[in-house]
Amino acid sequence: MKQLQEKILQEGKVLSADVLKVDSFLNHQIDPQLMQAIGEEFAERFRDAGITRILTIESSGIAPAVMAGLSLGVPVVFARKRKSLTLTSSLLTAEVHSFTKGETNEISVSKDYLKQEDVVLVMDDFLANGQAALGLAAIVEEAGAELAGIGIVIEKGFQAGGKLLRDRGLRIESLAILDSLENGTVQFKQEAFTK
Ligand code: 5GP
């Protein structure tokens, strides 16, 4: 997605050969127009998949997921990383190790908002080692629902997650795929330019 790639080049900060900071439009401040375009792009790619619900994880997956949900006309559920006092109904849970924070969280979703008859699009802001996506996929499985695919805003193609998930036969749609962050420079995978 060209608009996203341009934004990454203009505003992304390469923190190391592994980590890209995009706080100015996705992870702290949010660019609503870009989020709308991102939501429409995901909706277009998954239009024929029969999606009934989107599942993401707090907090940075929520903005793109809400815009995709608006475009597809389906509700958006986010997995919580901390136990909430108001999350009193029975829960679907999974363990997720965070790449950026170096900690493991139990994520949870109320059974009220994910049902066996759902066809689910899992979404997240970044794909690194695939742990967040695998945790969300495990929650979909626990609910007995169908996982239609995984929508990622920025995939770090040089880390293991993309291959891990695709090798499991999952459909992954990433709007920007990074080939490298070496020498402080963002390099995209060429194929992503055609989208
Ligand atoms: P994974 O679970 O695939 O290893 O990591 C994905 C999660 O880690 C995402 O939810 C995202 O919040 C965070 N993450 C991983 N790599 C980066 C990165 O380079 N930049 C930012 N901003 N977040 C990242």
Side-chain angles (χ1 to χ4, degrees):
M1 186 184 170
K2 201 160 184 292
Q3 193 184 344
L4 173 63
Q5 290 182 332
E6 283 169 0
K7 191 76 163 177
I8 293 170
L9 290 176
Q10 282 160 8
E11 298 185 15
K13 301 221 169 0
V14 179
L15 292 192
S16 68
D18 280 344
V19 178
L20 178 70
K21 183 171 172 172
V22 288
D23 277 11
S24 70
F25 63 91
L26 180 58
N27 289 147
H28 194 7
Q29 174 171 257
I30 292 168
D31 179 334
Q33 276 166 342
L34 179 63
M35 284 313 120
Q36 187 173 33
I38 283 172
E40 284 166 2
E41 178 71 28
F42 280 123
E44 198 178 302
R45 294 188 190 197
F46 285 98
R47 185 80 64 197
D48 300 325
I51 307 294
T52 62
R53 216 176 284 255
I54 294 175
L55 175 65
T56 186
I57 182 166
E58 66 176 351
S59 52
S60 294
I62 296 175
V66 165
M67 298 318 289
L70 184 65
S71 221
L72 285 169
V74 300
V76 177
V77 185
F78 62 91
R80 288 188 154 153
K81 288 179 180 162
R82 271 166 222 89
K83 289 259 156 20
S84 160
L85 282 179
T86 56
L87 204 56
T88 50
S89 50
S90 48
L91 299 176
L92 305 159
T93 59
E95 295 269 302
V96 171
H97 182 75
S98 162
F99 171 82
T100 41
K101 300 199 178 83
E103 60 186 32
T104 300
N105 290 301
E106 182 174 78
I107 63 167
S108 48
V109 172
S110 163
K111 285 186 177 165
D112 291 343
Y113 303 119
L114 203 52
K115 301 288 187 192
Q116 198 174 353
E117 56 272 22
D118 276 318
V119 179
V120 182
L121 170 59
V122 159
M123 285 182 59
D124 203 5
D125 58 341
F126 271 86
L127 176 60
N129 292 312
Q131 296 308 299
L134 279 179
L136 293 170
I139 282 181
V140 174
E141 195 179 339
E142 203 183 329
E146 182 188 328
L147 177 57
I150 300 179
I152 298 290
V153 180
I154 304 172
E155 174 178 344
K156 292 187 289 181
F158 52 89
Q159 291 184 308
K163 183 171 179 345
L164 183 80
L165 298 172
R166 291 183 180 96
D167 282 353
R168 292 186 177 211
L170 294 169
R171 176 180 174 193
I172 315 298
E173 293 284 345
S174 301
L175 304 193
I177 304 182
L178 309 183
D179 206 22
S180 158
L181 293 172
E182 296 289 337
N183 306 316
T185 308
V186 178
Q187 300 271 9
F188 292 105
K189 264 213 164 122
Q190 212 51 40
E191 65 195 64
F193 270 108
T194 58
K195 303 279 183 193

